[in-house]
Amino acid sequence: MRRVDLRKSKALFEDLAQTIKEAKVGEVLVILFEIGDFSAVEKSFSFVKENGCELLNSLKFNQVDWTIVIKKESV
């Protein structure tokens, strides 16, 4: 399991895609990012699925941060 902090990311989904690409099949990632508006949270659900991952958990970390836990399933 690896924790990835993307809270200061200027290009969240590009950085998330790169993180997923570098992960090993079967690896679990805990991704932390700023929500701003809620659209990034909604988009992240479909984004991880499209990139060969299973969404294991999603929760609000505090007032501005969101955490998703994903498992890479395919290359």
Side-chain angles (χ1 to χ4, degrees):
M1 183 181 299
R2 182 167 45 117
R3 181 178 181 266
V4 181
D5 188 346
L6 296 178
R7 288 181 290 179
K8 301 300 178 193
S9 174
K10 302 285 188 215
L12 173 63
F13 290 99
E14 290 175 22
D15 292 342
L16 181 55
Q18 184 63 34
T19 300
I20 291 170
K21 182 180 176 184
E22 294 170 356
K24 298 174 185 169
V25 174
E27 185 174 8
V28 174
L29 303 170
V30 179
I31 312 289
L32 182 66
F33 61 94
E34 290 184 5
I35 50 177
D37 64 21
F38 199 73
S39 66
V41 174
E42 293 173 343
K43 184 178 177 183
S44 70
F45 300 156
S46 59
F47 186 83
V48 297
K49 180 86 170 160
E50 292 167 2
N51 283 276
C53 296
E54 176 186 0
L55 181 67
L56 302 176
N57 199 353
S58 173
L59 58 99
K60 189 173 183 180
F61 184 69
N62 58 34
Q63 292 297 87
V64 295
D65 299 327
W66 200 272
T67 301
I68 58 174
V69 180
I70 61 175
K71 181 178 181 181
K72 185 168 181 176
E73 293 185 324
S74 62
V75 178

